[in-house]
Amino acid sequence: SQRKTMEKRIEQGKETLMTLEKEGIYVFHGSPDLVEELEPRQPKIWDKEIEQLIKHREPSVVATPFAEIAIFRAIINDRIKSDDGKHYSAFGSDGEKPFFETTPSVLKNAKDTIGYVYVFRKEDFTKISPMQWRSNKKLKPIRTFEIYFNDLPKNIRLEPSKL
């Protein structure tokens, strides 16, 4: 199975990811899925005017220089629903450090989730913003980390009013 062949190469340890972030030459992609390589997908952004997701630029692999954003996305994503079946989460950066939001219910329901953070060289990506880098090529990660609920950032703001 794919998992078996990859298991030898899957690492653990948030500390290692944070150390790689400090080196400044890597970007990170968080996902609930274990894959050998990442393919360009169509990024979408929320349009506040029409309250809908719309296509944003070309299909690409999206990554971030902030390891904790990738960790957050690996665990807190729209597969995790709140008790009423909805999902709310948000993240961003003030330029210096990232911030995170979700609801108490989504956080509670993510307790047993396992996700993956993929590490790539920055030189294979183009900077879109301080938080977001993109590549239009299929890419194999140089390292893959398994991520758990306990690896989540400690500064997640809980927003019960969002649902």
Side-chain angles (χ1 to χ4, degrees):
S1 78
Q2 185 180 8
R3 168 130 195 135
K4 277 277 174 281
T5 57
M6 289 190 69
E7 253 168 14
K8 297 185 280 298
R9 302 197 302 278
I10 298 174
E11 302 177 65
Q12 291 169 353
K14 180 178 182 177
E15 299 74 27
T16 308
L17 282 168
M18 300 313 286
T19 301
L20 291 173
E21 176 187 303
K22 285 188 187 77
E23 289 180 32
I25 56 172
Y26 302 106
V27 290
F28 308 92
H29 177 92
S31 172
D33 300 313
L34 180 61
V35 294
E36 286 277 347
E37 67 178 0
L38 270 69
E39 295 183 6
R41 298 242 173 104
Q42 177 62 62
K44 293 185 174 159
I45 56 169
W46 186 255
D47 186 316
K48 289 189 179 84
E49 299 294 307
I50 58 171
E51 297 202 342
Q52 220 168 305
L53 283 171
I54 57 165
K55 290 179 179 181
H56 187 250
R57 301 195 184 191
E58 297 304 305
S60 49
V61 175
V62 179
T64 177
F66 295 105
E68 282 199 319
I69 289 179
I71 290 168
F72 183 74
R73 295 288 295 138
I75 300 294
I76 306 293
N77 53 68
D78 55 17
R79 290 194 194 166
I80 310 293
K81 306 293 186 205
S82 60
D83 294 338
D84 64 3
K86 295 194 180 113
H87 174 86
Y88 169 78
S89 63
F91 60 93
S93 165
D94 58 13
E96 288 300 304
K97 57 185 193 306
F99 63 81
F100 310 93
E101 290 180 1
T102 192
T103 64
S105 183
V106 167
L107 197 63
K108 174 189 66 147
N109 292 337
K111 287 253 190 301
D112 299 322
T113 303
I114 295 173
Y116 300 91
V117 169
Y118 300 99
V119 182
F120 299 95
R121 287 182 188 85
K122 243 183 204 178
E123 66 210 36
D124 293 326
F125 285 74
T126 303
K127 185 178 183 175
I128 303 291
S129 72
M131 189 177 77
Q132 190 176 114
W133 294 57
R134 292 186 181 182
S135 170
N136 59 5
K137 298 190 287 290
K138 263 189 189 183
L139 293 169
K140 282 192 191 310
I142 54 173
R143 295 173 78 169
T144 300
F145 287 79
E146 195 165 77
I147 295 298
Y148 308 98
F149 182 83
N150 287 344
D151 295 320
L152 281 171
K154 299 295 173 245
N155 62 329
I156 298 174
R157 223 177 16 233
L158 295 178
E159 292 281 355
S161 59
K162 288 286 184 195
L163 290 177

